[in-house]
Amino acid sequence: MTARAASTVLVGRQPELAGLREALGRARAGDPVTVLVGGEAGVGKTRLLEEFGAHATGAGARLLIGQCLELGEAGLPFAPFAAALRDVLRHDGPAAFAGYEAEFARLLPELARVPAGAAAPTGLPVSDTPRGYLFDLVADLFRRIAEERPLVLLIEDLHWADRSTRDLIGFLVRAARATRLLLVCTYRTDELHRGHPLRPFLAELDRARGVDRIELGRLDRDGTGAILADLLGAEPAARAVDDVHGRTQGNPFFIEELAAAGDPVGCAVLPETLRDLLLARVDRLPEPAQRVLRIAAAGGTRFAHQLLAEVAGLPEAELEDALRVAVAGQLVVADPDGDYEFRHALFREAVHDDLLPGEHARLHARYAAAIEAQPHLVAAGRAPAEIAHHWYAAHDHPRALIAARAAAAAAADRYAYAEQSRLLERVLELWELVPDAADRLGMDHLRLLEETVAAANTAGDLSRALTLTRAALAEMDSAAEPLRAARLLDQRGRLLALLGKSDGAAELGEAYRLAAGVPDGPERIGLLSDIAAHLMKVDPAQAASVAAEATVGAEAVGADLALLPTRIAMLCRTQGIPDLGLAELRRAEALARAADDARALVSALVYLSDVLYELGRYAESEEAAAAGVSEARRVGISRSIGAYLLSNRAEALIALGRWDEADAACAEAARIDPPGVSGLHWLQLRAGLRLARAHPAADELVGRALAFLARPYLWPNHRLPLRELRIEAALAADDKVAALAASRAALADERLIDLPREGWPVLSAVARAAALVGDAALAAEASAVAAVLPARYPAELAHAAQVTAILTGVEFNADTPGAPAGQSGVAGERPGAPAQRSGTALPAWREAVAQWRAVGQPYPLGRALLALAEAAAAAGERDEVAGAVREAAEIATRLGAAPLGEQAATLARRVGLRGAGRPGPDLLTSREQEVLRLVAEGHSNSRIAEQLFISPKTASVHVSRIIAKLDVTNRVEAAALAHRLGLLDPTPPATPAQRRGR
């Protein structure tokens, strides 16, 4: 993936941009304003000014830009003003300077029209013109320019300004009170050392009236992700964003540099250009300060003074002097607690990478020894990880092995499973380098592999966990230790399914075979429970049998049912309990809380939120999922089982109509980046949400979600929603061919009739596609599935009512292939086109609306209301049309569902409703209604002209206007729409003989 060199989007600067726009508004009103924009190098000051400059120009302001040069106090005086005046000369000519060319020549030499040393109009040589007089002339020039239109003067890099430039800026700020002038100056905060001349100048300006300050901070993680997405042309993986954000700390320039290096995750080695740029700042420091920075870099981005003193071994005064220089040079920042931090992580990385090999190993060994001797020198709880890191970096393999194993155990105690997994991987690496590793650790290699599998699995690194299970099984003696082997096989089967590689049934079957010959005990019962839970989506009948066996064993040995919430949920589903086992799940939740078993609690809350959703108790579902999210975050399992809670919460929020909150929950899931199919649910939900809102990034998310269908295996409850999404995406794009293909693929899914919760939404989408395209065979297939698909819970009942309404309200031409016998088509309508039968469609849609209203999901209610309005229009029920359209429009506005709102507006216009859905004048004139009736009868323009005694050209004009007013693409669609909405005058048009007699 190749990245562009620079981002084209402005990310995370909306408040600052709004502040500049507000300042321009004040200047436009005659109140001169100065805005000082500060921020570190590369943070995006120039990009912000570019965006604002484009806005200012578009708003009718005059824009002048000046740049200070990196020459300091000895540089070219007035350099930014010279650039601005040069632009004035280029666009306005010498006349803009009103005869004072000689005076302005001090700022702009090309204006000097008299020989050097000749008298200026004031009687003084140009070089000796009083500065106050010159400043007055500049202010007057800007005033005259601003009289025509507001003037925006942008001056960049004020930290390089010479004194003359600063004095002129100060004069304009204080003296230029009668102009519509907005002065914007940028400067680098990391260049302002204690003695920098800009510091007192900024302090003086702060006391002047009309001076505002804007400080640009670094971007947050989402901002980093947005820039990467723009640079790479696709949404990057969450781990890539984490890596780049961690290294760049949200500095846009650094983000661009790392992305341009080639690897989207951020190159392992700093690009040479960036490294040289960073080290140039370090090279300006005296050697003692550089030496201390090198020592500090080995300790990390943040370091304590006492730890640095222990490692450096320098006299306190010498160390403090060196740190003072580094702080003054804006390379290190001191905090009130006495610690220090490199101003930017990449500064530390560049300095650390510049260490000599021997120096690198020596420094890290000194850090490891110092922290081992005094663990309090680092943050509480961090000593084990720090010691492991430093011994590893020092290449002391035996010590690094022991330290990494101890640090992994400490990480697990803190629920830091990702860190535990990385540390155990290091132990595996060092195992091969330390001959007596088993004796040093007191464990065999197989045990280490099992620990690493568990840690990687919990941390969400499923691919690595799967690889490790293969290695562990190769070392396993299943005959000697059947339960141990069965546990690994159960894990491997689940991992295969989660990664979409297979259903894992073979592994689960072998795991059950091994466990079957082992006497009952808590370990065997827990394993059987897990096998049953994993089999639930593969083979429900076998899952029920294994779960029943586990239940009998649990009762015999007194195993706590709170540890088996997955089994409870599975049993309740297979037994057909009306409340889906809600009471049992509540009991499991309570027992897990009482036992302080976080994993059991999170598992119970996953199923609890899911069951509550299916029962239509969306608010309770959202509360349960939110509680689970907090608990999963607390114990560090957000990327594993906790990932389902985020998507369950988003699903409930979508149902409640709280779409902004749902999108935020999906964004949180994206940041966590759940692995395998555990990351599919949020992706599918957000893709559907963006489709419903016509979001610009909808197509990308839809594509990412649908890519899961290409995997060798996908659980049916994940596959069916994707089939629905594919149909919805095709309908949103008005791609009828794709909609039909997706619909037929959905109906061919063998598990469609087994899963009503997922099946009914799919069937609703298929029915809509059949109605839109007019495919009688597809409608008949949908009707057949609807006849056998059970509907027991609120949303299923509402979907069933909607499918019935769609299929009831559609009839097809008799010549349509597959059309039911005895159905007559509408004259003049294209073969296969649907038409609403008001006699049957209207009551059916009333029932569908009532069902969705009872369910409480606003979006499908809004869709049903529009269909009801169409049916009511066809039946001539205009008051009902108005109410339904108005309510649908209100729902669309509340949800931000732009397409739904556009459909409501279009329908309102077609049936002659005014703004808020009140009946108004008909959309078509009486003559256009006559023409439309003849179009619907299939007449050509010539025949229409003959019938109405008008010219063919006039008839063509009427037809074109009708097509435009009805917002259709051709006369066939106009005719179909006229029939569907009852737009035709019930009074038949006069015959030619009747017209001649008038």
Side-chain angles (χ1 to χ4, degrees):
M1 190 179 297
T2 303
R4 283 199 311 275
S7 176
T8 59
V9 297
L10 184 69
V11 174
R13 304 305 188 199
Q14 282 66 37
E16 292 83 359
L17 186 60
L20 288 171
R21 289 177 175 176
E22 188 271 338
L24 177 59
R26 286 154 52 198
R28 187 186 299 276
D31 184 13
V33 181
T34 299
V35 180
L36 304 173
V37 181
E40 68 182 19
V43 82
K45 300 181 294 298
T46 298
R47 182 71 186 86
L48 174 67
L49 261 59
E50 287 174 353
E51 190 78 14
F52 172 67
H55 164 78
T57 302
R62 175 76 178 271
L63 183 67
L64 298 177
I65 301 174
Q67 178 85 40
C68 298
L69 304 180
E70 193 176 359
L71 300 173
E73 292 296 312
L76 183 67
F78 303 115
F81 289 98
L85 294 179
R86 190 167 289 115
D87 186 78
V88 173
L89 177 63
R90 183 167 53 251
H91 287 88
D92 301 337
F97 299 94
Y100 292 95
E101 291 87 347
E103 286 79 359
F104 279 106
R106 182 171 180 180
L107 304 179
L108 199 60
E110 52 260 49
L111 280 173
R113 296 187 174 186
V114 294
T122 60
L124 295 171
V126 172
S127 60
D128 293 335
T129 302
R131 292 206 317 162
Y133 178 58
L134 179 64
F135 289 2
D136 270 330
L137 290 177
V138 173
D140 186 64
L141 172 63
F142 289 158
R143 178 190 59 76
R144 285 185 279 110
I145 293 174
E147 284 178 349
E148 297 180 6
R149 50 181 173 152
L151 174 62
V152 177
L153 176 59
L154 305 181
I155 297 180
E156 293 200 69
D157 296 325
L158 199 58
H159 51 280
W160 289 330
D162 61 285
R163 177 168 181 175
S164 297
T165 296
R166 294 196 300 271
D167 289 345
L168 180 48
I169 290 173
F171 179 84
L172 291 175
V173 170
R174 291 183 172 83
R177 288 298 170 196
T179 62
R180 296 190 297 168
L181 171 66
L182 171 59
L183 176 62
V184 182
C185 302
T186 69
Y187 61 94
R188 291 183 186 173
T189 54
D190 52 345
E191 293 278 355
L192 303 187
H193 53 78
R194 182 166 298 174
H196 198 290
L198 189 60
R199 278 181 176 271
F201 178 69
L202 293 176
E204 291 175 12
L205 290 186
D206 280 337
R207 293 194 290 271
R209 187 172 67 88
V211 176
D212 298 337
R213 283 256 204 159
I214 291 178
E215 292 292 331
L216 282 189
R218 298 168 183 171
L219 298 175
D220 59 13
R221 182 196 176 280
D222 289 344
T224 298
I227 288 185
L228 283 175
D230 178 60
L231 292 171
L232 301 173
E235 190 167 340
R239 289 196 175 185
V241 179
D242 290 339
D243 181 82
V244 173
H245 185 69
R247 297 177 73 190
T248 65
Q249 295 178 303
N251 183 292
F253 172 72
F254 293 159
I255 295 169
E256 292 172 352
E257 288 293 306
L258 284 187
D263 186 346
V265 180
C267 54
V269 179
L270 281 177
E272 285 299 323
T273 54
L274 181 55
R275 178 190 304 280
D276 292 344
L277 181 67
L278 295 169
L279 290 178
R281 296 278 301 277
V282 179
D283 291 341
R284 292 202 292 263
L285 300 180
E287 176 54 33
Q290 291 188 42
R291 185 169 61 254
V292 168
L293 278 185
R294 288 195 294 271
I295 298 171
T301 302
R302 187 176 179 85
F303 52 94
H305 181 90
Q306 189 177 352
L307 176 60
L308 180 63
E310 288 287 333
V311 175
L314 295 173
E316 189 68 21
E318 185 177 337
L319 177 63
E320 288 183 350
D321 286 344
L323 286 172
R324 184 175 290 106
V325 171
V327 171
Q330 300 288 316
L331 293 176
V332 171
V333 179
D335 66 25
D337 296 330
D339 290 341
Y340 298 91
E341 184 176 7
F342 279 87
R343 176 171 284 277
H344 205 288
L346 287 184
F347 275 124
R348 178 261 166 192
E349 188 174 333
V351 174
H352 182 259
D353 290 349
D354 204 42
L355 294 173
L356 297 173
E359 184 182 23
H360 178 279
R362 232 176 7 258
L363 285 174
H364 280 286
R366 283 155 63 181
Y367 269 105
I371 298 171
E372 278 185 336
Q374 303 181 69
H376 67 274
L377 294 178
V378 295
R382 290 300 304 166
E386 294 286 340
I387 294 168
H389 163 71
H390 288 299
W391 281 131
Y392 182 77
H395 308 300
D396 189 328
H397 298 150
R399 285 174 170 167
L401 175 80
I402 297 171
R405 177 68 183 83
D413 291 340
R414 293 184 289 108
Y415 307 121
Y417 297 110
E419 184 178 355
Q420 179 198 17
S421 177
R422 287 193 296 270
L423 287 163
L424 289 175
E425 289 279 2
R426 181 169 294 171
V427 176
L428 284 171
E429 173 193 341
L430 293 168
W431 186 283
E432 306 298 330
L433 303 176
V434 180
D436 57 346
D439 293 334
R440 288 177 179 271
L441 295 179
M443 65 190 306
D444 61 17
H445 192 257
L446 179 58
R447 178 60 185 154
L448 176 59
L449 281 172
E450 289 175 318
E451 277 193 20
T452 313
V453 167
N457 193 6
T458 306
D461 192 353
L462 303 189
S463 295
R464 182 57 180 163
L466 181 64
T467 300
L468 290 168
T469 58
R470 184 175 64 245
L473 286 167
E475 295 186 18
M476 178 73 68
D477 183 352
S478 59
E481 298 180 283
L483 276 184
R484 194 177 184 184
R487 173 65 66 187
L488 275 171
L489 284 165
D490 171 63
Q491 288 178 310
R492 183 167 178 81
R494 180 174 177 273
L495 288 167
L496 286 167
L498 282 171
L499 290 169
K501 295 179 179 294
S502 77
D503 61 6
E507 288 76 11
L508 294 173
E510 178 63 12
Y512 176 69
R513 187 190 69 77
L514 289 172
V518 178
D520 271 340
E523 184 180 356
R524 177 179 183 270
I525 292 167
L527 177 58
L528 289 178
S529 172
D530 286 344
I531 292 173
H534 301 161
L535 280 172
M536 182 172 60
K537 296 175 181 178
V538 179
D539 188 342
Q542 185 183 1
S545 173
V546 176
E549 183 178 346
T551 302
V552 171
E555 292 173 350
V557 300
D560 191 347
L561 289 181
L563 302 178
L564 309 175
T566 54
R567 181 194 60 79
I568 294 171
M570 187 276 300
L571 281 176
C572 295
R573 287 179 183 275
T574 56
Q575 292 176 357
I577 297 175
D579 72 346
L580 294 173
L582 183 61
E584 287 296 315
L585 284 172
R586 291 287 194 194
R587 176 174 174 270
E589 177 195 9
L591 290 173
R593 289 187 186 279
D596 195 24
D597 190 327
R599 286 178 172 275
L601 176 59
V602 170
S603 180
L605 289 171
V606 169
Y607 283 95
L608 182 62
S609 61
D610 194 54
V611 165
L612 287 167
Y613 182 91
E614 189 159 355
L615 293 174
R617 296 161 66 169
Y618 306 123
E620 294 177 69
S621 173
E622 189 274 330
E623 291 173 3
V629 167
S630 299
E631 187 66 19
R633 189 182 295 122
R634 183 181 71 83
V635 296
I637 54 176
S638 294
R639 290 195 78 240
S640 50
I641 190 171
Y644 295 103
L645 287 160
L646 277 170
S647 56
N648 281 3
R649 180 169 182 260
E651 187 175 32
L653 288 167
I654 290 172
L656 291 166
R658 292 156 59 182
W659 282 14
D660 288 340
E661 293 177 71
D663 191 67
C666 289
E668 185 177 353
R671 286 191 292 272
I672 292 173
D673 190 25
V677 297
S678 59
L680 173 57
H681 192 206
W682 78 261
L683 185 61
Q684 168 246 319
L685 290 173
R686 200 177 201 190
L689 196 60
R690 289 189 168 180
L691 268 181
R693 285 182 154 180
H695 191 283
D699 289 345
E700 181 190 354
L701 274 186
V702 169
R704 285 175 56 196
L706 294 182
F708 277 79
L709 286 172
R711 298 197 176 199
Y713 178 76
L714 203 61
W715 283 322
N717 64 314
H718 286 133
R719 186 175 64 244
L720 289 173
L722 289 182
R723 298 207 182 279
E724 177 199 358
L725 179 63
R726 172 169 279 172
I727 299 170
E728 293 287 0
L731 292 175
D734 197 25
D735 188 338
K736 297 180 177 61
V737 174
L740 286 177
S743 297
R744 291 195 174 95
L747 290 178
D749 195 299
E750 60 185 8
R751 297 299 301 274
L752 180 63
I753 60 175
D754 298 333
L755 301 172
R757 173 175 171 177
E758 292 80 13
W760 278 112
V762 172
L763 200 57
S764 289
V766 170
R768 282 197 302 278
L772 175 68
V773 180
D775 190 309
L778 183 63
E781 290 180 53
S783 182
V785 173
V788 296
L789 191 62
R792 293 175 296 179
Y793 302 105
E796 295 170 8
L797 292 168
H799 273 295
Q802 183 165 302
V803 170
T804 301
I806 293 171
L807 298 177
T808 298
V810 175
E811 64 179 21
F812 301 91
N813 286 337
D815 59 348
T816 301
Q823 286 191 340
S824 59
V826 179
E829 194 172 338
R830 75 184 189 280
Q836 294 286 0
R837 293 202 309 255
S838 59
T840 54
L842 185 56
W845 276 113
R846 284 172 177 161
E847 172 62 19
V849 166
Q851 288 281 1
W852 280 118
R853 201 182 298 282
V855 168
Q857 291 193 32
Y859 184 63
L861 172 61
R863 291 173 124 180
L865 284 165
L866 285 186
L868 171 64
E870 288 197 2
E877 300 287 347
R878 291 185 63 84
D879 288 342
E880 191 168 8
V881 174
V885 169
R886 180 172 57 252
E887 187 177 357
E890 291 170 352
I891 289 172
T893 300
R894 187 168 71 251
L895 298 179
L900 181 65
E902 291 170 3
Q903 292 163 15
T906 299
L907 180 59
R909 186 174 64 254
R910 285 169 171 172
V911 298
L913 299 177
R914 293 199 298 266
R918 299 185 302 275
D922 289 334
L923 178 68
L924 304 178
T925 66
S926 58
R927 174 48 63 95
E928 287 169 346
Q929 287 183 338
E930 287 184 311
V931 172
L932 180 57
R933 176 178 289 281
L934 294 173
V935 167
E937 291 174 0
H939 295 299
S940 65
N941 287 352
S942 298
R943 182 59 178 159
I944 291 171
E946 179 183 336
Q947 290 282 314
L948 300 180
F949 294 95
I950 57 178
S951 70
K953 182 176 181 180
T954 301
S956 176
V957 170
H958 281 308
V959 171
S960 296
R961 287 176 177 171
I962 291 167
I963 289 172
K965 286 184 176 182
L966 296 182
D967 194 20
V968 294
T969 58
N970 55 52
R971 58 196 295 138
V972 176
E973 290 186 11
L977 184 67
H979 286 293
R980 192 166 77 242
L981 298 183
L983 299 179
L984 302 177
D985 188 344
T987 304
T991 64
Q994 290 172 326
R995 294 193 191 96
R996 284 194 296 271
R998 287 177 182 169

